[in-house]
Amino acid sequence: MKHPLLEKAAPILKWLGGIRINLRLALAAICAIGILHVCATLAAPMLMVRSAFDRLSPQLPINETVVFPPVTPGSQPIPFMTPDVRYAMCRYDTTDAPVIVTAELPDLGWSLALHTPDGDNIYVATGVDVRRTNLRIRILPANERFMGLTPEALGMSNTSEKPQTLRSARGIVALRAPDKGRAYQPSTEAALRRFRCSAQTVQ
Amino acid sequence: MHFVLHRAKKKLQAIIVKVSDWAIFIGIVLIGGLGSSYYMVSVGSALTTRTVGPWKTWTHAGRNDADPYTRAHFARAGRLNLTTEIAQTYLAGHDSKGMRLHSSCVYRISGDQLDARWWSITALNDLGQLIRNPSQRYSFTSDTIAVSQDGTFEVTLARDARPGNWLPTAGAGRLSVSMTLLEGEAIIAGDSEAQAAEINLPSIERVACR
């Protein structure tokens, strides 16, 4: 006597036995799945119209700093932007001229980061305990158009304090200040307002 | 006449079989290719993420050498992360027992002093939006949290007011908790799983549900 489960499964097994797997087609399917997987993954960042750069761009004039108000449910420019940090940002564009960024990191937890439109961090500096860190960064376009034409190279600017040089066409500079509580808010706000980002005039 | 009809029927059957074979082939390729890509981009795998208890982080977020899955994930999420060489952001959508976090429940997030120069914990809904509340409490940082004498801390996620470090969650539905560690020991330790296992992150316990 057959087991009842075996009796029920018999027609299904018979049907499965009748299926002839076309090996060439199966192999082609696996290859096609792989190709589609790679293409979809690589194309995904380009197909996303609402990246962080796209979301923030309308609020950020080119080569000007914007100090964001404390993040609240009504003023959260991008998802997962949390109110534990205050932000000052600048959307830089070096198409017409190099961009100079100056910022100070007064304490631990402060950071200055350059983000490309794809979201990569091409530069990041963090504050250290007790000591104030002053930063001066020059962002040059990715091509060599401005090589040797900087004010320092032309002898028109102070060469004793040379800025750090980075190459990037456009992106966002974000100065992040940690929330230390209500008592620290005025000093945090003042330090954020000292953040500067402007196109450098080259003659 | 009957023979012609029979032949036409046979021919039609053959065409239907061929078309259905191709339809199945294309269907499998589309579901397999796009589905696997979607899963790897939105959920991640052991190659791209690190899980510590209920917390998950993308190991190469914000880096120049980030893999395509990480790049696609953050482009899709619309987030602007600091590189993981400096800061790591962990997200939890489940409690320590694997149950989905929901605003109808009360949760206790408890841990020892975290090995980071600065850290923060924020309660959000599952879309990454802050939860509106009249007391305007959204997050605690290492500077603002009340820590007990032995260095441990507790944060309560609840709809109604609680003593201590309380983050309101009323009306949020599904919750996610974000934790950022700035220049933590985990970063100094590197990426290996053995070292990751030593990372001391808080647990999330469900206290009660309505």
Side-chain angles (χ1 to χ4, degrees):
Chain A
M1 193 179 157
K2 277 185 182 176
H3 191 275
L5 201 70
L6 202 69
E7 268 180 39
K8 273 186 187 174
I12 299 165
L13 288 171
K14 199 177 170 185
W15 180 75
L16 282 173
I19 294 174
R20 282 190 207 141
I21 295 167
N22 186 336
L23 267 179
R24 268 196 286 184
L25 207 64
L27 219 67
I30 291 166
C31 287
I33 286 171
I35 291 166
L36 188 63
H37 175 97
V38 170
C39 290
T41 306
L42 292 177
M46 288 170 263
L47 298 173
M48 306 298 172
V49 285
R50 298 293 287 160
S51 67
F53 185 80
D54 296 327
R55 286 170 203 247
L56 289 166
S57 288
Q59 298 174 52
L60 299 171
I62 292 172
N63 299 334
E64 280 180 38
T65 49
V66 173
V67 177
F68 281 83
V71 179
T72 58
S75 65
Q76 198 182 5
I78 50 175
F80 294 96
M81 197 168 177
T82 52
D84 50 9
V85 174
R86 288 287 312 271
Y87 296 86
M89 291 190 191
C90 164
R91 176 160 63 108
Y92 66 86
D93 191 334
T94 58
T95 311
D96 298 325
V99 171
I100 284 280
V101 175
T102 53
E104 63 177 55
L105 309 176
D107 205 352
L108 207 64
W110 284 68
S111 68
L112 182 84
L114 264 74
H115 300 269
T116 64
D118 297 332
D120 291 346
N121 257 183
I122 51 168
Y123 172 86
V124 65
T126 53
V128 289
D129 210 0
V130 185
R131 197 160 53 104
R132 184 181 297 270
T133 310
N134 290 310
L135 294 167
R136 190 157 181 255
I137 299 160
R138 180 193 291 126
I139 312 167
L140 295 178
N143 55 35
E144 302 290 321
R145 279 186 302 125
F146 290 93
M147 194 106 168
L149 292 173
T150 61
E152 286 84 2
L154 295 168
M156 293 153 55
S157 179
N158 180 15
T159 53
S160 60
E161 198 187 325
K162 283 186 180 171
Q164 296 179 62
T165 304
L166 294 163
R167 289 193 176 275
S168 173
R170 61 197 191 107
I172 288 173
V173 192
L175 178 65
R176 292 170 167 89
D179 173 30
K180 290 191 153 202
R182 216 169 275 254
Y184 290 86
Q185 274 176 6
S187 61
T188 302
E189 184 87 22
L192 285 171
R193 296 215 174 271
R194 284 195 284 274
F195 172 49
R196 290 279 176 273
C197 163
S198 57
Q200 193 177 25
T201 320
V202 179
Q203 292 168 346
Chain B
M1 185 66 191
H2 182 73
F3 178 70
V4 173
L5 202 72
H6 180 73
R7 266 184 68 177
K9 206 174 159 187
K10 280 273 179 195
K11 215 165 198 174
L12 192 70
Q13 266 180 346
I15 290 167
I16 287 170
V17 166
K18 208 153 206 178
V19 167
S20 61
D21 276 358
W22 275 105
I24 290 167
F25 176 81
I26 292 167
I28 288 171
V29 167
L30 282 178
I31 292 167
L34 296 179
S36 61
S37 173
Y38 179 80
Y39 179 83
M40 290 291 282
V41 168
S42 55
V43 180
S45 69
L47 297 170
T48 52
T49 60
R50 177 193 296 149
T51 305
V52 183
W55 304 96
K56 189 160 94 172
T57 185
W58 287 71
T59 51
H60 284 74
R63 286 198 194 187
N64 285 332
D65 60 349
D67 54 274
Y69 300 115
T70 304
R71 277 174 197 280
H73 175 82
F74 284 96
R76 181 170 168 262
R79 287 159 64 181
L80 203 63
N81 269 39
L82 273 176
T83 169
T84 50
E85 287 158 322
I86 296 293
Q88 284 190 318
T89 301
Y90 289 86
L91 273 180
H94 299 82
D95 64 17
S96 293
K97 286 185 177 169
M99 303 291 283
R100 195 82 184 71
L101 298 178
H102 199 275
S103 59
S104 58
C105 299
V106 177
Y107 298 95
R108 188 190 303 122
I109 304 172
S110 51
D112 292 333
Q113 203 144 25
L114 295 170
D115 294 327
R117 289 193 177 179
W118 182 87
W119 56 265
S120 71
I121 285 181
T122 308
L124 304 139
N125 67 15
D126 65 339
L127 299 173
Q129 295 161 338
L130 294 169
I131 302 160
R132 282 180 195 277
N133 64 84
S135 47
Q136 298 184 338
R137 280 171 177 241
Y138 311 108
S139 64
F140 289 106
T141 73
S142 49
D143 293 315
T144 58
I145 198 165
V147 182
S148 60
Q149 279 185 333
D150 58 357
T152 59
F153 67 88
E154 263 187 29
V155 176
T156 308
L157 304 182
R159 302 204 300 192
D160 311 313
R162 305 284 156 143
N165 304 309
W166 165 59
L167 289 177
T169 59
R174 287 182 168 184
L175 299 173
S176 55
V177 184
S178 164
M179 187 172 63
T180 302
L181 305 179
L182 196 67
E183 295 183 291
E185 291 296 322
I187 290 158
I188 297 159
D191 283 345
S192 77
E193 279 303 310
Q195 287 163 329
E198 291 169 18
I199 298 170
N200 189 18
L201 295 179
S203 64
I204 305 175
E205 287 170 69
R206 192 166 73 175
V207 179
C209 281
R210 283 193 184 181

